[in-house]
Amino acid sequence: MGFSSSAPLWRHPAFAEGARDMAGITLGISAWGLVTGVAMIKSGLSMPLALLMSLTVFAGSSQLASLPLLASGAPLWVLWATAFCVNLRFLIFSAQWRQYFNHEPRWLRMAIGYFAADLNYVAFLKRFPDGKPAPEQMPYYWGGVVVNWSSWQVPALMGILLADRVPTEWGLGFAGVLALLGLSYSLLSDRNSWVSAAVAGCAAVAAYALPLRLNILVAIAAAVTAGLLMERWVPGRRPA
């Protein structure tokens, strides 16, 4: 029996599939969110500001990068530049998602952009690797978003409210990194992706001393360059 386009999005089978795919990595996301919530309070933010930042920014990496700057009273332009540089990877994500969602209304694409995150990006590309629009992609995306957003925000809000009882020394934020590494590993399916990943890792370590976490951008640029070069010049490779 087919699915009616007039039915609620959450009733589409792909919605449940997207939620299930994200559910397996919620532990890492939740730990990362909890630490971020605690860090916001311990960096000197008031509870209302921390709540506002968690709900509107929704970007753990840039939040953690900007908190020391807020605590030290850094100029606003430095704060904005840091968050901008850390989040530039979302340009890559958006360019990739454009192949799937460019036909949607602008307001919907903006909503998709707000809820975009590293882990649901990786899960989405694993499920739809061919870059072609399909009816089940939208419900799949929002199914993953429901799990991803709530598994981040609920622990983050708990961390804000219970900051005095959750020591940052626990290092729970690294669980989010491990979750991302595990999901990324599942995408390394051929020589091209393995070489690109290795180049990205080496570039990130080599450029670690750069300010504003620019090593992230260096790693992305190096990986994309390596992938494109292999697509073009390695014999026997079929262009993606």
Side-chain angles (χ1 to χ4, degrees), residues 10 73 82 139 149 162 168 232:
W10 60 269
T82 300
W149 190 87
L162 304 174
T168 53
R232 182 171 182 178

Side-chain angles (χ1 to χ4, degrees), residues 91-111:
L91 285 176
I92 305 295
F93 299 170
S94 299
Q96 191 74 28
W97 263 319
R98 179 181 174 87
Q99 302 175 79
Y100 303 92
F101 299 133
N102 190 44
H103 61 283
E104 301 292 348
R106 179 174 297 178
W107 68 268
L108 182 54
R109 284 180 280 145
M110 292 179 68

Side-chain angles (χ1 to χ4, degrees), residues 59-148:
S61 299
S62 62
Q63 286 175 242
L64 292 175
S66 61
L67 290 177
L69 300 175
L70 286 170
S72 63
L76 185 61
W77 72 267
V78 175
L79 182 66
W80 280 100
T82 300
F84 179 81
C85 290
V86 171
N87 280 344
L88 269 178
R89 68 190 186 280
F90 285 99
L91 285 176
I92 305 295
F93 299 170
S94 299
Q96 191 74 28
W97 263 319
R98 179 181 174 87
Q99 302 175 79
Y100 303 92
F101 299 133
N102 190 44
H103 61 283
E104 301 292 348
R106 179 174 297 178
W107 68 268
L108 182 54
R109 284 180 280 145
M110 292 179 68
I112 290 172
Y114 166 76
F115 287 104
D118 302 82
L119 290 169
N120 63 351
Y121 168 78
V122 176
F124 186 92
L125 285 193
K126 182 182 178 182
R127 174 63 178 82
F128 303 104
D130 57 0
K132 299 178 181 179
E136 65 270 20
Q137 289 167 356
M138 188 63 71
Y140 180 90
Y141 177 83
W142 288 112
V145 160
V146 167
V147 175
N148 183 67

